[in-house]
Amino acid sequence: MNQILVIINRLSESFLLNCKLFALTLLFSLPLGLVIAFGSMSRFRPLRWLVRTIVWVVRGTPLMLQLMIIFYGPGLLEMSFSWPGGDSGRFLAATVAFVINYACYFSEIYRGGIESIPRGQYEAGLVLGMTKSQIFFKVTLLQVIKRILPPVGNEVITLVKDTSLARIIANKEIIMMAGEYSSRGLIWPLFATGIYFLIFVGVLTILLDWLEKKLSYFRA
Amino acid sequence: MAILEVKNIEKSFGSLQVLQKIDFSLDKGESIAVIGSSGSGKTTLLRCLNFLERPDKGSIIVNNQVIFDAMDPTTQRESEVRKKRLHFGLVFQNFNLFPQYTVLKNVTLAAELLAKERPNFKQDRKAILKEIEERGKSLLSQVGLSDKLDSYPHMISGGQQQRVAIARALALEPDILCFDEPTSALDPELTGEVLKVIRNLAEYNTTMIIVTHEMDFARDVADRIIFMDDGVIVEQGPPQEVFTNPKEERTRQFLSRYKNDKGNAI
């Protein structure tokens, strides 16, 4: 009995790392995705192609591989940059990889959302003497958010589960922790991790539904 | 005295010449109806006036001030274009209301944003916003929508949406109000209410350019008719003249085709 509580306690502690990685990734990748989206829509061709190539590479390779490249790359290439030692360096590298990866996915969702807004909205703003940034923030943005909420919600839910990939560079997240037990012949903790993810995603689903309802007061 | 002079405007999209040698002027308080078949360049003309398209040639003069000259790049600076647009208001065929704002906010939003550029905005914020809101309300009552202030665009009919769009365009007090086929996207039973609002504006001597397919309306309301075909102004004159005694063969053809269509429709 006591052992079960100890294991649950350790699983919960390690799940905190998943949660932290999740929160930090969202915090940085959501805005970075917008910057990338603008780059991929730029009228300046070289920039547009550069950004689209980066997005292609990031979306076209496994996140697991990107984690390894970002973590081991600087050392292997004998760059002057190196990650801080210990757990903090591993966590930082994982965060950077996740932010880049997710920002690229978000950027494509944003781009689709922005391009789906009828041009008439933009022109109506122009004719009313608005600046481009006023049109974006006051007219377009909320309509874009309403449209992209379902696909963004999908990505956010995927992210919850993807955080466990951070174990590939030895971040002690929940599946890695459970794996230590299963390698010693105790299999139930591994199954139990599923409950953590399920509950987390359940809460997110409720939150996303609530947001969607909040934005249902208008049609766009 | 002419409030607007359009001189020799030309515009091509690729190899397609959409406007050729467009030349006309408009007096303060006058309303012009622009008629012609689809693809004759009517809409492009309005879009040029509102700086949504840039003419390849020609110039646009408002109140004796050259606001656009194709030969003079100093008249085309992006920073000034925004202010120059305010000489004109444009009512779109598809209304283009902002769906996330209430009817009242649709009308006041642009004025509020412009007010932020006033030097005294910070001190007098409340009074300025109050004034804008009052003006918005009075414009909406002018178009008969006092009871819809807090509705969102999707909750009201197309005719009502277009009336909001007219109030929105009036809110910035443009010198010249342009209508791009304001009733073309509406069900027939809803066109009347929009035309009535425009008719009212004409009675109050609002300076207007109305691109329309409603011939009876054009004849009743406009002081002058411009008939366009293939990107040129074929004929212009008082409604009586153009409709009952057109000088040009092309005008005659267009009008008779229109009459036939109408006859068939009924």
Side-chain angles (χ1 to χ4, degrees):
Chain A
M1 190 62 207
N2 205 5
Q3 198 212 0
I4 294 176
L5 280 177
V6 168
I7 292 174
I8 289 178
N9 208 8
R10 292 193 67 187
L11 286 180
S12 302
E13 270 172 25
S14 58
F15 192 62
L16 221 58
L17 187 139
N18 298 72
C19 295
K20 258 167 57 188
L21 183 55
F22 170 82
L24 286 171
T25 302
L26 276 193
L27 182 67
F28 292 107
S29 66
L30 283 171
L32 180 61
L34 193 58
V35 176
I36 297 174
F38 282 130
S40 68
M41 290 185 292
S42 168
R43 263 189 264 166
F44 182 58
R45 246 190 212 185
L47 177 66
R48 193 172 71 224
W49 286 116
L50 176 71
V51 172
R52 289 195 178 187
T53 307
I54 292 171
V55 172
W56 170 60
V57 171
V58 172
R59 294 201 308 168
T61 54
L63 176 54
M64 195 184 273
L65 184 61
Q66 290 164 19
L67 280 161
M68 291 193 272
I69 289 172
I70 283 181
F71 184 60
Y72 298 116
L76 290 175
L77 297 173
E78 292 172 7
M79 285 160 69
S80 56
F81 169 83
S82 66
W83 297 103
D87 287 348
S88 66
R90 296 169 185 283
F91 182 73
L92 189 61
T95 308
V96 169
F98 270 81
V99 167
I100 294 172
N101 184 277
Y102 271 81
C104 285
Y105 278 98
F106 285 139
S107 79
E108 282 298 284
I109 296 177
Y110 293 158
R111 188 169 68 84
I114 291 169
E115 288 176 349
S116 77
I117 302 299
R119 191 159 172 77
Q121 290 288 309
Y122 178 73
E123 289 182 346
L126 282 183
V127 168
L128 290 166
M130 296 185 196
T131 63
K132 280 182 183 167
S133 79
Q134 283 172 340
I135 294 172
F136 180 74
F137 286 107
K138 298 284 180 180
V139 175
T140 323
L141 185 60
L142 197 62
Q143 298 181 46
V144 173
I145 290 174
K146 183 183 167 86
R147 285 187 190 204
I148 65 175
L149 204 53
V152 166
N154 252 340
E155 286 301 319
V156 170
I157 285 172
T158 307
L159 171 61
V160 178
K161 294 162 290 173
D162 273 358
T163 54
S164 66
L165 285 175
R167 70 181 181 280
I168 210 70
I169 50 174
N171 279 286
K172 294 192 187 73
E173 55 75 53
I174 189 166
I175 288 192
M176 181 153 171
M177 182 61 71
E180 283 175 15
Y181 290 104
S182 64
S183 63
R184 279 187 261 146
L186 193 62
I187 207 76
W188 72 261
L190 197 54
F191 293 162
T193 61
I195 297 169
Y196 284 85
F197 287 104
L198 264 180
I199 292 174
F200 196 151
V201 169
V203 171
L204 274 178
T205 307
I206 292 169
L207 196 73
L208 287 165
D209 281 351
W210 175 79
L211 261 177
E212 219 165 298
K213 275 217 186 74
K214 267 256 156 189
L215 289 174
S216 67
Y217 73 91
F218 72 92
R219 269 185 219 154
Chain B
M1 204 202 72
I3 192 167
L4 168 70
E5 289 169 79
V6 174
K7 290 190 171 161
N8 262 316
I9 292 285
E10 303 211 353
K11 174 75 190 170
S12 301
F13 294 119
S15 62
L16 182 72
Q17 183 136 34
V18 189
L19 293 176
Q20 287 176 61
K21 293 194 193 121
I22 298 294
D23 233 332
F24 70 93
S25 68
L26 179 68
D27 286 344
K28 195 170 165 56
E30 189 186 20
S31 50
I32 289 186
V34 184
I35 60 171
S37 41
S38 304
S40 58
K42 311 180 299 282
T43 294
T44 306
L45 173 59
L46 284 195
R47 292 175 61 83
C48 285
L49 295 178
N50 284 277
F51 291 89
L52 293 177
E53 305 288 351
R54 184 165 299 191
D56 305 323
K57 282 185 192 162
S59 56
I60 299 169
I61 298 154
V62 174
N63 286 328
N64 293 321
Q65 187 202 346
V66 179
I67 63 163
F68 175 87
D69 185 341
M71 295 288 125
D72 182 0
T74 61
T75 64
Q76 299 169 27
R77 287 193 203 110
E78 197 60 40
S79 54
E80 290 162 39
V81 161
R82 188 167 72 88
K83 292 277 159 172
K84 290 175 182 172
R85 276 201 181 98
L86 297 176
H87 288 296
F88 297 89
L90 178 59
V91 174
F92 296 87
Q93 187 176 341
N94 306 316
F95 337 131
N96 293 331
L97 293 183
F98 306 133
Q100 73 268 46
Y101 293 118
T102 61
V103 161
L104 180 59
K105 186 77 176 178
N106 262 281
V107 176
T108 57
L109 177 67
E112 287 168 11
L113 294 174
L114 282 168
K116 285 185 185 168
E117 294 167 32
R118 287 193 225 165
N120 62 342
F121 182 72
K122 279 211 173 115
Q123 302 106 285
D124 304 339
R125 190 162 183 274
K126 271 203 172 140
I128 290 175
L129 291 179
K130 184 86 194 145
E131 187 193 316
I132 292 172
E133 188 183 319
E134 289 308 317
R135 188 166 155 67
K137 284 180 181 167
S138 103
L139 283 167
L140 283 165
S141 98
Q142 203 182 317
V143 298
L145 291 171
S146 289
D147 55 335
K148 299 290 182 194
L149 300 182
D150 298 321
S151 303
Y152 287 90
H154 74 271
M155 301 157 80
I156 60 180
S157 73
Q160 291 172 328
Q161 289 188 45
Q162 191 61 300
R163 279 144 68 196
V164 175
I166 293 172
R168 181 175 72 172
L170 287 168
L172 298 180
E173 301 177 319
D175 295 316
I176 300 145
L177 186 53
C178 303
F179 293 86
D180 184 12
E181 302 189 22
T183 58
S184 295
L186 296 174
D187 291 336
E189 72 267 24
L190 297 176
T191 57
E193 59 188 82
V194 172
L195 296 180
K196 196 176 129 203
V197 167
I198 303 174
R199 205 180 294 256
N200 259 327
L201 291 174
E203 272 159 25
Y204 284 102
N205 290 327
T206 311
T207 315
M208 296 189 285
I209 303 175
I210 308 160
V211 168
T212 184
H213 289 296
E214 302 274 345
M215 295 304 148
D216 297 334
F217 171 74
R219 173 196 283 232
D220 287 356
V221 170
D223 300 306
R224 188 151 40 108
I225 303 289
I226 287 181
F227 169 63
M228 285 181 71
D229 193 28
D230 271 341
V232 295
I233 295 181
V234 176
E235 183 166 351
Q236 55 175 311
Q240 290 306 332
E241 240 171 70
V242 176
F243 280 108
T244 50
N245 194 15
K247 286 191 222 86
E248 301 289 332
E249 178 58 30
R250 279 202 270 179
T251 317
R252 228 167 291 157
Q253 273 175 7
F254 171 76
L255 290 172
S256 73
R257 202 164 61 225
Y258 168 75
K259 273 176 200 148
N260 288 340
D261 286 354
K262 203 180 169 194
N264 291 339
I266 293 164

